[in-house]
Amino acid sequence: MISIEEALELVLAHLPAKRMEEIDFQSSLGRVLAERVIATGNAPVRLKCVGEIRAGGGLVLRIGPGEAAAIMTGAPVPEGADAVQIVELTERSGDGQYVVIQKPVSLGANIAPMGCEARAGETVLEAGRCVGPAEIAVLATFGASRVKVYARPRVALIATGDELVEVEDTPRPGQIRNSNAYSLSGQLRLMGLEPEYLGIARDEKGELRRLMLDGLQRDVLILTGGVSMGEYDLVKEVFEELGLQILFTRVAMKPGKPTVFARKGGKLVFGLPGNPVSTFVSFENFVRPALGRICGFARTELPRIKGDLLSEMKQKPGRTAFLPAWVEWEEDHWSIEPLPWKGSADIIGFSRSNAAVIFPGSRDCLRRGEIVEAMLLPDFVLRSRGSA
Ligand code: AMP
Ligand code: MG
């Protein structure tokens, strides 16, 4: 069994190289720029010629928008002019009335620098920047209608278990509805990823193999269930038979201990434990950070806060536990209220939380009033608005 930190380090050490793609700038919301965006000027542009300024001559000209004047080296720049282009990059019309500036000229070019938000050639968005609405405005301003961003990974999802039926079916005795495929799909969609759900694999090697081979056509394959110690928990065995390199099979966390991470070629494979809260917590600890980096983000781990614990919590020591809580900002500090919870199958109890207390494996009791750490859930902002 390895620690959460060691497990995450292993996951991050085996990420595939990032791919780039060029997309329409409006589609780049929530994406990460793979290339910097440079301020551009407008060219060619046709300006009205309003005169000629010689070095040493008296200055009477004023230049307005859309106007230009021929200026000799050493002459003072007239009022209203904001840049000078070299004559070689311009073309006068036959009658001398107009001049075409063939190449964009940066603001202040060839004259003493002047203050401005961005000059042509200057970087306005660095590579690695996440595109939000403000960045969309910057792209629009500089006419960057196509942008290079990091490609999103293609993700496949497989649920496993003989007892599972689909949402529209009525479970017979001994059966339950598959919910993990849908919570995982929601977690992925909150990251802007649209997973391909391949269905439920029965606890049978042939069917697992067939669905896994299909899933391995994508960049990342996520399975849920079938990784515990039971006789019909066949996921790890099939991983081995398919030649996957298994990097870990147990992590000192609760819930989520039997999390499996494997790879084949550049493909990543996560075998998440079947209990609904285990699958959720395991995804947030390992799958989210990996997928986020593939998308080009520096880090996408859930934010953590520290605050006042409102009531005592007890746990058997040994593994780091993630326990549902409601956290609230109280003027100058966070309050953290543990919620009633019946364990890793209790997705109803967990669904009432907006955060998870991180209960250290070295402790057996967290006292009321103690400062403890909590991880905000991915949809924290939405959840914390409360219900009408
Ligand atoms: P497993 O890891 O396959 O032994 O599953 C552990 C527990 O999670 C069992 O009680 C399963 O019935 C349950 N479980 C497994 N997969 C799912 C799923 N897709 N949706 C809801 N519960 C599941
Ligand atoms: Mg199972």
Side-chain angles (χ1 to χ4, degrees):
M1 195 153 74
I2 59 174
S3 71
I4 297 175
E5 294 73 25
E6 289 168 313
L8 180 58
E9 221 170 275
L10 270 172
V11 170
L12 299 181
H14 290 92
L15 299 181
K18 295 196 280 276
R19 282 183 282 118
M20 284 186 213
E21 61 181 344
E22 195 184 283
I23 58 172
D24 176 80
F25 83 106
Q26 290 190 74
S27 311
S28 70
L29 192 69
R31 305 289 292 270
V32 178
L33 293 173
E35 207 175 64
R36 69 189 175 130
V37 176
I38 292 170
T40 49
N42 291 327
V45 62
R46 188 161 163 273
L47 305 175
K48 191 171 180 351
C49 262
V50 294
E52 202 165 79
I53 310 153
R54 294 158 190 252
L59 188 65
V60 285
L61 271 176
R62 221 205 99 83
I63 295 197
E67 294 178 343
I71 185 166
M72 310 304 144
T73 307
V77 177
E79 205 188 322
D82 51 16
V84 174
Q85 181 57 296
I86 56 171
V87 70
E88 295 90 321
L89 295 176
T90 67
E91 198 183 308
R92 283 290 273 274
S93 59
D95 58 6
Q97 290 262 56
Y98 289 93
V99 62
V100 173
I101 309 291
Q102 287 153 330
K103 268 204 140 172
V105 59
S106 37
L107 202 54
N110 302 317
I111 55 176
M114 5 191 343
C116 172
E117 278 183 298
R119 302 195 179 126
E122 202 173 277
T123 300
V124 287
L125 298 171
E126 315 80 37
R129 266 284 270 281
C130 172
V131 180
E135 283 76 13
I136 293 273
V138 176
L139 294 171
T141 300
F142 292 102
S145 60
R146 307 278 304 168
V147 288
K148 282 215 173 102
V149 295
Y150 289 111
R152 283 172 162 156
R154 288 161 307 155
V155 181
L157 271 183
I158 300 173
T160 75
D162 285 339
E163 75 283 23
L164 301 180
V165 298
E166 278 301 7
V167 187
E168 47 283 340
D169 299 329
T170 306
R172 289 193 303 271
Q175 294 186 323
I176 56 163
R177 290 195 181 90
N178 164 25
S179 61
N180 294 352
Y182 303 100
S183 55
L184 287 170
S185 171
Q187 287 168 292
L188 288 160
R189 282 185 285 132
L190 282 179
M191 296 189 74
L193 299 170
E194 201 55 58
E196 290 174 66
Y197 171 47
L198 305 184
I200 300 169
R202 302 292 144 203
D203 293 317
E204 187 266 308
K205 282 192 183 176
E207 194 162 329
L208 280 167
R209 204 178 294 127
R210 190 173 57 76
L211 284 184
M212 280 188 209
L213 283 172
D214 187 4
L216 284 167
Q217 304 296 309
R218 319 305 190 286
D219 302 305
V220 177
L221 169 60
I222 305 171
L223 294 107
T224 160
V227 288
S228 325
M229 299 305 281
E231 208 168 314
Y232 294 98
D233 291 327
L234 302 168
V235 166
K236 280 179 277 186
E237 270 180 60
V238 179
F239 279 4
E240 276 164 5
E241 287 176 17
L242 291 177
L244 269 65
Q245 181 193 3
I246 298 179
L247 289 139
F248 61 78
T249 59
R250 289 168 142 252
V251 185
M253 64 189 281
K254 187 184 174 178
K257 179 164 82 171
T259 299
V260 181
F261 172 58
R263 65 196 281 260
K264 188 177 167 72
K267 314 292 176 82
L268 305 185
V269 184
F270 294 91
L272 306 181
N275 269 307
V277 183
S278 313
T279 275
F280 190 101
V281 168
S282 201
F283 177 95
E284 293 304 339
N285 272 286
F286 306 114
V287 188
R288 164 185 296 278
L291 293 176
R293 279 163 179 83
I294 296 173
C295 291
F297 292 97
R299 50 175 285 127
T300 46
E301 281 83 328
L302 293 177
R304 294 176 175 207
I305 55 132
K306 278 184 175 169
D308 272 11
L309 189 64
L310 296 187
S311 54
E312 184 184 85
M313 298 178 85
K314 289 194 160 149
Q315 278 292 309
K316 208 169 81 191
R319 293 182 269 153
T320 306
F322 294 84
L323 305 166
W326 187 263
V327 306
E328 194 104 34
W329 180 251
E330 311 268 9
E331 223 151 293
D332 59 355
H333 72 282
W334 289 97
S335 70
I336 303 182
E337 184 190 355
L339 298 180
W341 187 53
K342 299 192 208 73
S344 56
D346 184 13
I347 193 71
I348 301 169
F350 198 80
S351 75
R352 300 200 169 100
S353 63
N354 65 356
V357 168
I358 305 171
F359 197 120
S362 56
R363 305 281 301 275
D364 60 1
C365 176
L366 299 179
R367 291 178 311 277
R368 182 172 166 216
E370 197 174 326
I371 301 295
V372 301
E373 204 176 4
M375 185 170 94
L376 305 184
L377 296 190
D379 49 352
F380 176 80
V381 174
L382 295 176
R383 308 185 72 76
S384 306
R385 285 186 187 141
S387 27

